[in-house]
Amino acid sequence: MSVRVRFAPSPTGYLHIGGLRTALYNYLFARHNNGKFILRIEDTDRSRYVEGAIENLINSLKWVGIDFDEGPGKDGMFGPYIQSERLDIYKHYANILLESGWAYRAFDTPEEIEEMRKRLSEAKLDSKYDRMNMKNELTMSQRDVNELINKGTPYVIRLKIPEGEIKFYDIIRGEVIVSCKEIDDQVLLKSDAYPTYHLANVVDDHLMKITHVIRGEEWLPSTPKHIILYDAFKWEKPEFAHLPLLLNKDKSKLSKRQGDVALEDYIQKGYFKEAIINFVALLGWNPSGDREIYSLQELIDSFDLRKVNKSGAVFDIQKLDWMNGYYLRHSDDRILVEKLKDVLERISLSYPNEDYLYKVIHLFKDRVSFIHQIPEIADYMFNKPAEYEKEYLEKHWDRSKLPLILNLLEKLKISDFTHDNLQNNVKAFCEEKNIKLKEIIHPLRLMITGKSSGAGMFETMEVLGKEECIERIVKFINSIE
Ligand code: GLU
């Protein structure tokens, strides 16, 4: 039997990092096993409807390079892949359960349900649906039921949880056993004829021939209800794997309060998709020991659900930043130049030409984790320094240096303004004056960049060019003297 897995998000408006991890693990599993990866939109909770959310989700998956085989906008034998377009199907299956006695109609009003909850909570009982004391097919005569139906009284369809216990095997967690006493008579079809998550999810997983359900741990408590549904329909069950929770550094559940959780935020901050994929893939699994850097193909080749951890995975943003730096250093300069162009446009900095940007990238690619850090640490590559770091200035400048610098200025007027040549000339100059190289390098850095640190000074000067360097030195002398 060939593997078929699905990512089944509710379109909330953005792709949560946890959702991305679920999508990625499904994708890796499918590709590793030459199976199919399906995208199914679970949008039956109309109160949570967000305009444009589906397009947004599809674009996010596309951006990271997770392509699906079947789903909205793609061919596939099991569509439609958007649940709100499958309402008749769910109704049909809810009716089958009514007929077989696995489900029943319940006519309670929201107020009556509220009262029941209060009553149970006062009696310190579980607030599960009190099947035998409420208004439903199990407590009413068939005549009364028919009368209510004929009058058009709204009703929900509830699953009749059997007695005993539910057992299932989870690939990551092993055997799971839950007592039916702990399971509520779940509403399957609401009075507006929309299914709940449980009915729609199980019906679709069956009809779409899903072989493995791979999803977040937060869905584990739903699985016993799903098992009961599979048994009720006499359907073969898929295999289950519940992925570990994502945690903040303090081991609390990953939340917006402690940082960004939407993929979009990370895209906007300038993370590389390769870094995001690599990082998210290792949230709960590592193909082998200490190695941290994996390409998507390597992740596919080594993916093994059985090796996914049970315990929560800590979301360590510093590790992600480190990975981003790695991918930046190993990226093609063409891609980096395009990114730098975008950044410069956003902050309205101009540059002489594209060739100049290649040189800037070359200078700084080993020194940053993000392209936007280049104009942050080295704005002087795009503007003459507007100010000079105070401490650096005090340490490396005093008036007595002026004759020396004026003298040096003449030596810089060389035709071949390359870093090698500059270095040779300045070295010779220092020897002639009997001073140490750093006695010249620091003032040069100060005058030309205004900052105490940066890339190699002669390399920086070469990129800035002769005219610009001389102008800066003159500007400094004029402004300081
Ligand atoms: N619609 C659920 C979600 O939003 C799907 C859970 C599952 O994969 O069964 O994540």
Side-chain angles (χ1 to χ4, degrees), residues 232-290:
F233 285 120
K234 300 194 169 61
W235 288 341
E236 199 185 323
K237 299 175 197 73
E239 294 199 46
F240 292 94
H242 290 88
L243 308 175
L245 286 178
L246 298 188
L247 308 175
N248 294 308
K249 259 197 156 161
D250 65 2
K251 301 280 165 83
S252 59
K253 200 175 157 196
L254 186 69
S255 72
K256 251 189 190 161
R257 248 175 301 131
Q258 299 207 20
D260 293 316
V261 290
L263 172 66
E264 283 85 336
D265 297 328
Y266 291 91
I267 297 177
Q268 224 163 40
K269 288 194 167 159
Y271 286 91
F272 289 92
K273 66 172 185 213
E274 293 82 358
I276 294 180
I277 287 290
N278 191 157
F279 173 73
V280 168
L282 302 191
L283 290 173
W285 166 67
N286 194 324
S288 64
D290 298 337

Side-chain angles (χ1 to χ4, degrees), residues 337-449:
V337 164
E338 287 313 311
K339 281 189 184 271
L340 182 56
K341 273 190 199 165
D342 288 347
V343 169
L344 295 175
E345 194 176 330
R346 234 183 300 136
I347 55 177
S348 305
L349 280 182
S350 53
Y351 52 92
N353 50 48
E354 202 178 86
D355 194 40
Y356 183 77
L357 297 187
Y358 274 94
K359 292 179 186 161
V360 171
I361 289 292
H362 188 73
L363 265 189
F364 290 97
K365 112 189 239 195
D366 288 345
R367 296 170 184 269
V368 291
S369 295
F370 297 90
I371 288 299
H372 65 75
Q373 289 171 338
I374 294 180
E376 283 165 18
I377 61 165
D379 51 341
Y380 56 79
M381 295 310 292
F382 306 97
N383 275 323
K384 290 190 174 41
E387 50 192 24
Y388 303 92
E389 263 181 41
K390 195 160 171 276
E391 233 175 84
Y392 197 49
L393 176 78
E394 282 165 5
K395 196 158 167 207
H396 295 290
W397 183 256
D398 63 69
R399 195 164 267 187
S400 66
K401 295 218 161 113
L402 187 58
L404 194 70
I405 295 299
L406 288 175
N407 209 332
L408 173 74
L409 205 50
E410 290 312 307
K411 301 269 176 208
L412 294 181
K413 293 179 182 164
I414 46 175
S415 56
D416 192 5
F417 202 75
T418 59
H419 65 274
D420 284 341
N421 244 343
L422 279 165
Q423 182 161 355
N424 291 339
N425 278 11
V426 173
K427 260 193 183 157
F429 177 79
C430 290
E431 270 163 30
E432 187 191 313
K433 301 283 174 196
N434 201 17
I435 54 174
K436 287 197 181 114
L437 188 60
K438 66 179 184 196
E439 286 179 62
I440 287 297
I441 295 279
H442 285 303
L444 269 181
R445 189 179 289 288
L446 172 74
M447 294 185 288
I448 290 172
T449 73

Side-chain angles (χ1 to χ4, degrees), residues 87-105:
L87 298 182
D88 288 347
I89 300 176
Y90 309 126
K91 223 170 167 172
H92 168 75
Y93 283 99
N95 282 329
I96 290 183
L97 293 180
L98 280 179
E99 278 161 29
S100 63
W102 274 97
Y104 59 92
R105 296 179 184 83

Side-chain angles (χ1 to χ4, degrees), residues 77-93:
M77 283 163 54
F78 304 95
Y81 294 92
I82 299 182
Q83 287 189 328
S84 59
E85 295 172 13
R86 302 170 61 83
L87 298 182
D88 288 347
I89 300 176
Y90 309 126
K91 223 170 167 172
H92 168 75
Y93 283 99

Side-chain angles (χ1 to χ4, degrees), residues 107-122:
F107 297 89
D108 320 279
T109 63
E111 293 76 30
E112 285 163 341
I113 294 285
E114 195 45 43
E115 258 168 48
M116 171 199 84
R117 291 234 164 86
K118 241 169 96 192
R119 173 167 56 81
L120 293 174
S121 121
E122 274 162 20

Side-chain angles (χ1 to χ4, degrees), residues 446-462:
L446 172 74
M447 294 185 288
I448 290 172
T449 73
K451 294 221 155 98
S452 54
S453 64
M457 197 54 222
F458 298 120
E459 282 86 351
T460 306
M461 288 171 74
E462 178 181 332

